[in-house]
């Protein structure tokens, strides 16, 4: 731990999954941070229940993939989504089976063009994920974790930021932290965003919802033969938690005046009653209740000087579980770019590129979420109009896109080498110039980068599989495994390439 939390290079507000990943990404590049969180214990409920292949690839870089899998659903377990138009007593309109990891592994074993993911997706309890990430943060020597510290405000003072917090463990003492950068990872109701007065642009007029986390052995027993991941019945969505327990979450639409906080069990029973289960379940044990709206908001800006918004503080997509990749991508992207500036080789354009890359990604992801929400509403309207089960099933098959890996455009091809290892595992923590030339033409280029202080590994590859599937002989890979530059020959002006990828050519995306 740092000796004095009053000085920090990076202050991270929020020690949830996103804040923890950002701190670990910074540490991956040798940059210390201070992390504050008002909660002393990890959350007892979380919507984050699924990490896609790309998120797991990023976790692999941080050597966390194996730990996450050990806490998640076993590779032999499949899942699925059941759509029902009336109630749980009626046959499903459509059942979509989600293949197990073992099945996916067999499927991708036949893919040899570099598009297959290095890591498969993983269902994992959000509580276990947050707990495991927080433990990794707590034990890392470069991360100073301050629990029970409630962030209260900040002001920019020249090239520094002065932040204030209340330390509950010291009798509500007021603490001051002076830092170079602040990252707001404090969720949808972000205090950091409020301090910056950054508005959220909403896609639609908000409709209020709530999520009730509860334990119900009766509900689990109802799905003994097959336990789907998700059951959609009208306006109610039931999700089985990915922890092997009897824990569920019910997402319900809330009418004005519904007793959300006063009597969440009554609200849950009303939703289950409409699904045909209200009078047949024993008293559910309520674990937590959260309220949200489906306006699908994205912050107008992701940055105000040295202060950044990350994850749900920058975009509110609910339920969060299916969209964790957006937040994970934020944390990794900002982490390596902040590290580049703090380690002395990154220019101001590198930090500008955080918003330039991540905000458009959030806007695109928002459209996909909106499509899913509209599909549900359309099915509800059709069912109310008397559409047959066969007709509804046809609509759903047209509307629901097949599950994909979530791999982004620009990701380097992932190829298994002749010796059975993954090329990705040989990439360096910073930039890597993958050299497929016959005369190792990349060596001189890497030396120029190093003389300029830009950390760059030189990876000479003679492997037949890589040479076959990569379309250029020289490929510069970023710390997040995305391609920054590629060519068949050394460029005439290598310095301009280096200026661009290190953020010294203004606010261009590197």
């Amino acid at each position: 731990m740092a000796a004095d939390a009053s000085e920090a290079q990076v202050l991270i507000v929020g020690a949830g999954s996103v804040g923890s990943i950002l701190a670990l990404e910074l540490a991956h590049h040798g940059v210390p941070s201070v992390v504050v969180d008002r909660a002393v214990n990890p959350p007892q409920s979380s919507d984050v229940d699924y990490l896609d292949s790309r998120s797991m690839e990023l976790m692999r870089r941080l050597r966390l993939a194996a730990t996450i899998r050990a806490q998640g659903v076993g590779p032999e377990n499949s899942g699925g989504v059941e759509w029902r138009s009336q109630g749980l007593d009626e046959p499903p309109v459509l059942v979509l089976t989600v293949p197990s990891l073992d099945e996916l592994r067999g499927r991708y074993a036949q893919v040899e063009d570099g598009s297959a993911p290095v890591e498969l997706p993983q269902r994992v309890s959000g509580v276990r994920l947050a707990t495991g990430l927080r433990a990794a943060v707590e034990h890392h020597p470069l991360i100073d974790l301050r629990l029970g510290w409630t962030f209260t405000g900040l002001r920019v003072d020249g090239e520094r930021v002065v932040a204030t917090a209340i330390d509950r463990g010291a009798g509500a003492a007021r603490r001051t932290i002076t830092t170079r950068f602040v990252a707001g990872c404090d969720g949808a109701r972000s205090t950091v965003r409020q301090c910056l007065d950054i508005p959220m642009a909403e896609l639609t007029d908000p409709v209020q919802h709530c999520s009730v986390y509860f334990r119900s052995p009766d509900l689990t027993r109802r799905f003994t033969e097959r336990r789907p991941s998700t059951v959609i019945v009208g306006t109610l969505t039931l999700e089985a938690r990915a922890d092997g327990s009897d824990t569920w979450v019910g997402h319900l639409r809330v009418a004005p005046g519904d007793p959300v906080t006063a009597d969440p069990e009554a609200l849950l029973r009303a939703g289950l009653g409409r699904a045909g289960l209200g009078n047949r379940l024993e008293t559910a044990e309520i674990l937590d209740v959260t309220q949200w709206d489906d306006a699908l908001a994205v912050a107008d800006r992701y940055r105000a000087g040295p202060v950044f918004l990350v994850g749900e503080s920058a975009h509110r997509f609910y339920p969060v579980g299916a969209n964790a990749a957006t937040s994970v991508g934020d944390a990794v992207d900002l982490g390596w770019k902040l590290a580049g500036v703090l380690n002395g080789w990154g220019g101001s354009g590198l930090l500008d590129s955080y918003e330039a890359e991540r905000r458009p990604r959030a806007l695109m992801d928002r459209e996909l979420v909106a499509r899913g929400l509209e599909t549900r509403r359309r099915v509800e309207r059709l069912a109310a109009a008397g559409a047959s089960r066969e007709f509804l099933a046809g609509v759903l098959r047209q509307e629901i896109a097949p599950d994909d890996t979530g791999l982004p455009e620009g990701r380097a091809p992932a190829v298994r080498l002749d010796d059975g290892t993954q090329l990705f595992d040989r990439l360096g923590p910073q930039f890597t110039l993958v050299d497929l030339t016959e005369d190792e033409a990349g060596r001189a280029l890497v030396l120029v980068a190093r003389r300029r202080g830009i950390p760059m590994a030189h990876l000479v590859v003679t492997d037949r599989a890589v040479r076959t599937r990569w379309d250029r002989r020289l490929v510069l890979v970023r710390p997040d495994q995305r391609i920054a530059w590629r060519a068949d020959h050394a460029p005439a002006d290598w310095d301009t390439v280096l200026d661009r990828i290190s953020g010294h050519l203004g606010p261009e995306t590197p």
Side-chain angles (χ1 to χ4, degrees), residues 21 140 203 215 263 343 414 473:
I21 291 171
H140 202 292
L203 185 63
R215 186 175 290 112
D263 193 351
N343 286 332
R473 301 297 90 184

Side-chain angles (χ1 to χ4, degrees), residues 164-458:
T164 55
I166 300 298
D167 181 2
R168 197 172 71 197
R174 185 175 183 273
R175 305 295 190 187
T176 300
I177 306 170
T178 303
T179 181
R180 178 85 179 274
F181 297 105
V182 173
C185 304
D186 49 343
R189 295 179 176 84
S190 170
T191 304
V192 174
R193 187 183 66 242
Q194 293 174 25
C195 289
L196 301 177
D197 197 26
I198 294 179
M200 301 286 281
E202 298 181 340
L203 185 63
T204 60
D205 292 333
V207 175
Q208 297 301 313
H209 298 255
C210 80
S211 297
V212 181
Y213 301 82
F214 64 100
R215 186 175 290 112
S216 174
D218 280 359
L219 189 57
T220 301
R221 282 193 291 270
R222 185 177 181 89
F223 295 101
T224 298
E225 293 184 4
R226 68 182 191 285
R227 189 175 185 186
S229 314
T230 305
V231 181
I232 301 170
V233 190
T235 61
L236 169 67
T237 300
L238 291 171
E239 292 184 354
R241 296 290 78 184
D243 57 5
S245 69
D246 298 320
T247 305
W248 295 75
V249 57
H251 304 293
L252 305 106
R253 197 173 300 165
V254 179
D258 276 348
V260 177
T261 56
D263 193 351
E265 183 172 343
L267 186 66
L268 175 64
R269 282 197 168 277
L272 293 174
R274 288 190 292 271
L277 277 176
N279 297 322
R280 289 183 243 168
L281 296 182
E282 298 174 359
T283 301
E285 179 188 355
I286 305 298
L287 303 176
D288 198 7
V289 181
T290 59
Q291 292 180 257
W292 49 278
D293 63 60
D294 59 6
L296 304 181
V298 175
D300 285 355
R301 293 178 291 134
Y302 276 31
R303 178 187 183 189
V307 186
F308 300 83
L309 302 179
V310 191
E312 289 179 71
S313 67
H315 40 77
R316 297 200 307 263
F317 301 158
Y318 288 96
V320 178
N323 310 289
T326 316
S327 296
V328 172
D330 288 352
V332 171
D333 189 85
L334 180 61
W336 76 261
K337 290 172 179 177
L338 281 175
V341 171
L342 290 168
N343 286 332
W345 59 264
S348 60
L350 197 62
L351 297 183
D352 291 335
S353 73
Y354 167 66
E355 179 177 318
E357 285 192 42
R358 297 309 305 170
R359 190 171 185 275
R361 179 74 261 172
L363 293 173
M364 288 185 282
D365 290 344
R366 179 171 72 172
E367 291 300 324
L368 297 178
V369 176
R371 175 185 174 182
L373 290 173
E374 179 53 34
T375 295
R376 295 190 182 194
R377 295 187 182 113
R378 183 177 295 113
V379 170
E380 290 172 26
R381 294 193 296 268
L382 288 170
S388 68
R389 292 178 58 256
E390 292 75 13
F391 185 86
L392 294 176
V395 170
L396 286 171
R397 289 191 183 97
Q398 290 180 347
E399 291 287 330
I400 301 173
D403 186 32
D404 61 21
T405 63
L407 301 180
E409 181 181 359
R411 165 188 170 272
V415 180
R416 188 175 294 278
L417 304 178
D418 289 338
D419 63 3
T421 61
Q422 287 284 353
L423 175 65
F424 271 22
D425 291 337
R426 297 180 61 185
L427 300 175
Q430 311 291 341
F431 288 98
T432 301
L433 185 61
V434 179
D435 189 343
L436 306 175
T437 64
E438 299 296 336
D439 58 353
E440 298 187 9
R443 187 174 301 278
L445 303 178
V446 171
L447 290 176
V448 172
R450 291 174 179 172
R451 281 198 295 268
R452 288 187 48 169
I454 300 174
M456 187 176 296
H458 183 215

Side-chain angles (χ1 to χ4, degrees), residues 33-54:
S33 62
V34 172
V35 184
V36 299
D37 197 295
R38 62 183 179 182
V40 174
N41 299 311
Q44 294 306 301
S45 62
S46 175
D47 281 333
V48 178
D49 204 39
Y50 178 83
L51 294 176
D52 69 0
S53 293
R54 182 56 185 154

Side-chain angles (χ1 to χ4, degrees), residues 130-180:
T131 301
L133 290 173
R134 182 172 289 191
V137 164
E138 193 167 9
H139 292 95
H140 202 292
L142 289 178
I143 304 173
D144 185 352
L145 177 61
R146 294 298 174 111
L147 301 176
W149 284 42
T150 300
F151 170 83
T152 56
L154 60 82
R155 61 180 173 84
V156 179
D157 186 6
E159 295 185 352
R160 310 293 288 178
V161 182
V162 180
T164 55
I166 300 298
D167 181 2
R168 197 172 71 197
R174 185 175 183 273
R175 305 295 190 187
T176 300
I177 306 170
T178 303
T179 181
R180 178 85 179 274

